[in-house]
Amino acid sequence: MTTTIAETTDDTVIVPKPNMLLRALMAVPPALWTLLVLISIWELSVQIGKVPAYILPAPSAIGAVFFNYWHRLLPNALVTLSEVLIGFIGAVVVGVPLAVMIVYSRAMEKAVYPLIVASQTVPKVAIAPLLLTWFGYGMTPKIVIVILLAFFPIVINSVMGLKSSSREMIYLARSMGASGLQTFWKFRLPQALPSIFAGLKLATVLSVIGAVVAEFIGADKGLGYLILIAGANFDITRQFASIILITLIGVLFFVTLEQMERFFIPWKARSNIAGEG
Amino acid sequence: MAAPETIRSASRPHISISGVSKTFQGRQGPVQALQDINLSIEKGEFVSILGPSGCGKSTLLMLLSGLLPVTKGRIDVDKKHIDGPNADAGIVFQQDVLLEWRSALQNIMIQAEIRKSNIPEARERARQLLKMVSLTDFENSYPKELSGGMRQRVSICRALLHRPPLLLMDEPFGALDAMTRDQLQIDLLRLCSDNDMTVFFITHSITEAIFLSDRVVVMSPRPGRIERIIDIDLPRPRRLSMREDAKFIDYTRELTGIFKSLGVFREEY
């Protein structure tokens, strides 16, 4: 390891050899720089324009809320996070096997698949109050709504992926004497993985939306609940803090899935959304 | 004729196709793809099936592989009646059908994994095969990093891993450019040379059929029938320059004439 720029105290020009700090700075995705610039503009506009906090709080004020109210924010964030995660996992557990059944059984494809597709026209938000009646006030109705929202893209994309094996590929498997199970594990499932992951990534976004919307409709915990309470008290700053936390949950969730995708699908071209580290 | 690489075993019918017909259920009633096919192939023979699109030659290969059932007639390979997938055969399609998530070597090894063969032994053979087609440096490359010709070479190696007595090839070079095609024909002959392997090769290229084969089976379309069988009496090992030999050109002329008489080629304009 060479010395970092922070330890170099003399005034001599640093040799062009790339040092670690510079490399670390270069590694920061460009989008983060953009975000930093936007936040700075926001801060400056609020300061210079003297915008009242009940209309638009400065980023620094929101930062202060994080610092002062973390004991309220954190437990509620954890509640929302659990709803999102449990619901998402539930959607995967229901969705992927269902997709397998639809692909392998003509009867299922004919009798169930169209209903699943048609059911998507039912607005989930409209069912939420009903679920509250059925499952009460706790986490259960939130998890159910997350499952309902997240499971659709998982099923659709898994079905698409599992059907994407070419006829030749199936012939090839059979010509080797592969059993049905071998054909599934060694040919069809790996072939379907990119598509399944596309569905999972879509589902992460929908899971977060589902949890927050469910909390809006009836909850005494969670970030959605915090937003409502803060709104009732005209505390826009706390609303912002909650929104940022929700966003953070969503982004972290999505990024985790991207990392899993890279791990499970190393052959797929690396996406360069976030830049290379 | 008796070059060391072409020691073919004495005549014993290896494949017998007798009275085979195949009918598909189409939208507008049944469509007959093959009509009364009779063909017997000896062990170690390289036989090409030559014909225009839609003459049912690929269907014949599917029947031979047991992946599709015959409608009428009977197929035996090595005295074994084919009534299900013939797992002894190796098969190569026009598309390489490589598994994108596996490296070149792993793609060949799937054959051993499915068959539960001895893995280290199979890996040794896979590397040997890759060496024979000059892909040693690419054993860890993923298919998307390989050119079309390289991919198809890997798929041929995969078909050969388990030393199949019968290699079925369905227009394997049809999607490749002409120069790659020439090289792969040579590669294929090299791979076949030290094997007592029968090759059943589907093509619509007259030159390719003559260059590779011991016998060329000419098929006519709708319904697919065997029109003529021509013995190719050219020495082995085959060399690309032989394509300019008088004998080779005679075969080309003969085959072109057959297709002209069948109405496959129409020259008026």
Side-chain angles (χ1 to χ4, degrees):
Chain A
M1 290 286 142
T2 52
T3 52
T4 66
I5 196 168
E7 287 162 359
T8 322
T9 44
D10 56 343
D11 284 338
T12 47
V13 181
I14 314 284
V15 275
K17 187 167 63 177
N19 61 65
M20 284 172 72
L21 182 71
L22 203 68
R23 240 193 282 173
L25 286 177
M26 304 260 282
V28 175
L32 265 188
W33 293 116
T34 315
L35 191 65
L36 222 66
V37 170
L38 286 176
I39 291 174
S40 308
I41 294 172
W42 176 0
E43 179 77 40
L44 282 175
S45 320
V46 172
Q47 301 271 355
I48 294 167
K50 300 204 172 7
V51 183
Y54 58 83
I55 304 264
L56 182 68
S60 56
I62 299 169
V65 167
F66 274 115
F67 193 74
N68 295 326
Y69 291 93
W70 63 270
H71 59 281
R72 285 282 279 144
L73 289 170
L74 192 66
N76 283 293
L78 285 177
V79 168
T80 305
L81 183 65
S82 329
E83 290 161 3
V84 169
L85 285 181
I86 297 172
F88 176 81
I89 291 168
V92 174
V93 168
V94 178
V96 176
L98 192 66
V100 173
M101 282 192 271
I102 287 168
V103 170
Y104 273 88
S105 148
R106 172 126 337 163
M108 285 287 285
E109 189 183 3
K110 288 232 148 80
V112 178
Y113 197 44
L115 289 185
I116 292 175
V117 176
S119 73
Q120 284 313 295
T121 51
V122 180
K124 249 60 80 205
V125 184
I127 317 179
L130 195 60
L131 293 172
L132 228 66
T133 318
W134 289 342
F135 298 110
Y137 222 53
M139 264 172 88
T140 318
K142 282 91 185 174
I143 292 168
V144 173
I145 289 181
V146 171
I147 292 177
L148 283 178
L149 271 171
F151 123 113
F152 185 64
I154 296 176
V155 174
I156 297 286
N157 284 282
S158 302
V159 167
M160 258 171 48
L162 288 167
K163 281 188 162 181
S164 69
S165 299
S166 66
R167 209 174 40 174
E168 279 86 1
M169 189 179 283
I170 303 303
Y171 280 151
L172 184 78
R174 284 175 58 202
S175 80
M176 294 176 183
S179 65
L181 219 58
Q182 278 177 322
T183 307
F184 178 76
W185 284 111
K186 299 234 176 212
F187 294 85
R188 290 190 99 142
L189 188 62
Q191 175 78 19
L193 271 187
S195 188
I196 292 176
F197 264 98
L200 292 181
K201 289 198 297 195
L202 248 167
T204 62
V205 179
L206 290 174
S207 299
V208 177
I209 294 175
V212 173
V213 166
E215 286 173 358
F216 278 172
I217 287 163
D220 50 11
K221 287 191 229 36
L223 291 172
Y225 163 75
L226 273 196
I227 289 176
L228 282 191
I229 297 299
N233 295 325
F234 295 103
D235 195 340
I236 309 293
T237 318
R238 268 205 232 183
Q239 269 190 332
F240 262 102
S242 309
I243 292 168
I244 288 169
L245 271 182
I246 293 168
T247 312
L248 226 57
I249 290 176
V251 170
L252 280 178
F253 197 11
F254 189 85
V255 169
T256 308
L257 258 288
E258 283 235 304
Q259 290 307 316
M260 284 174 68
E261 185 180 26
R262 284 186 186 190
F263 178 77
F264 282 109
I265 318 178
W267 65 90
K268 205 186 140 197
R270 296 170 124 229
S271 58
N272 36 23
I273 301 171
E276 302 301 329
Chain B
M1 193 61 189
E5 66 171 58
T6 51
I7 300 170
R8 311 256 183 215
S9 49
S11 293
R12 44 193 161 108
H14 178 47
I15 299 171
S16 116
I17 302 171
S18 47
V20 164
S21 297
K22 178 70 184 174
T23 308
F24 290 106
Q25 287 310 318
R27 265 167 204 276
Q28 284 118 15
V31 178
Q32 187 160 35
L34 292 169
Q35 190 182 46
D36 194 28
I37 304 290
N38 291 288
L39 182 66
S40 116
I41 299 172
E42 281 163 28
K43 191 153 188 63
E45 228 187 334
F46 196 122
V47 173
S48 285
I49 309 295
L50 180 63
S53 325
C55 73
K57 50 194 193 304
S58 294
T59 305
L60 186 55
L61 179 133
M62 293 305 290
L63 298 181
L64 205 47
S65 69
L67 291 168
L68 291 180
V70 299
T71 308
K72 229 167 67 187
R74 180 187 170 93
I75 297 179
D76 294 87
V77 176
D78 261 339
K79 299 198 177 73
K80 214 177 77 197
H81 181 211
I82 299 296
D83 54 0
N86 175 9
D88 289 340
I91 192 159
V92 178
F93 296 103
Q94 180 170 355
Q95 275 75 41
D96 48 68
V97 206
L98 292 187
L99 311 179
E100 298 294 329
W101 55 94
R102 286 169 166 256
S103 68
L105 183 70
Q106 289 171 331
N107 257 292
I108 302 174
M109 287 301 289
I110 186 134
Q111 185 80 259
E113 290 168 31
I114 300 287
R115 292 171 193 277
K116 302 201 163 58
S117 348
N118 180 325
I119 294 294
E121 217 170 82
R123 192 176 296 121
E124 189 59 35
R125 165 142 173 93
R127 291 215 166 96
Q128 233 169 42
L129 287 165
L130 279 172
K131 194 175 165 202
M132 286 177 82
V133 294
S134 328
L135 285 179
T136 299
D137 295 339
F138 294 92
E139 68 167 60
N140 292 321
S141 303
Y142 283 114
K144 69 166 165 104
E145 297 162 341
L146 303 175
S147 69
M150 290 161 127
R151 293 176 63 120
Q152 192 57 295
R153 273 182 271 182
V154 172
S155 110
I156 295 172
C157 291
R158 174 179 60 197
L160 294 177
L161 184 72
H162 59 299
R163 299 176 195 277
L166 171 63
L167 178 62
L168 302 169
M169 305 184 93
D170 190 0
E171 294 185 34
F173 309 143
L176 303 175
D177 64 86
M179 284 191 167
T180 308
R181 207 172 167 139
D182 287 350
Q183 182 56 52
L184 259 81
Q185 289 171 6
I186 301 285
D187 287 339
L188 175 62
L189 289 177
R190 187 184 311 120
L191 287 166
C192 298
S193 61
D194 57 11
N195 266 322
D196 195 10
M197 184 172 63
T198 311
V199 185
F200 188 83
F201 190 95
I202 309 282
T203 181
H204 50 221
S205 158
I206 293 175
T207 323
E208 186 171 78
I210 302 169
F211 183 70
L212 295 171
S213 319
D214 299 314
R215 266 199 301 163
V216 175
V217 176
V218 180
M219 289 189 65
S220 64
R222 275 173 272 277
R225 265 168 300 140
I226 292 181
E227 186 65 30
R228 190 93 67 86
I229 299 177
I230 293 178
D231 289 309
I232 305 297
D233 186 18
L234 290 171
R236 290 183 188 270
R238 302 270 163 94
R239 295 283 176 259
L240 287 174
S241 59
M242 288 180 186
R243 295 185 302 194
E244 285 100 59
D245 290 355
K247 214 166 175 185
F248 196 103
I249 292 168
D250 285 344
Y251 286 129
T252 314
R253 192 175 295 129
E254 186 179 357
L255 285 164
T256 308
I258 294 173
F259 285 118
K260 233 188 269 183
S261 72
L262 285 174
V264 174
F265 299 136
R266 287 182 305 276
E267 290 186 297
E268 317 77 49
Y269 57 90

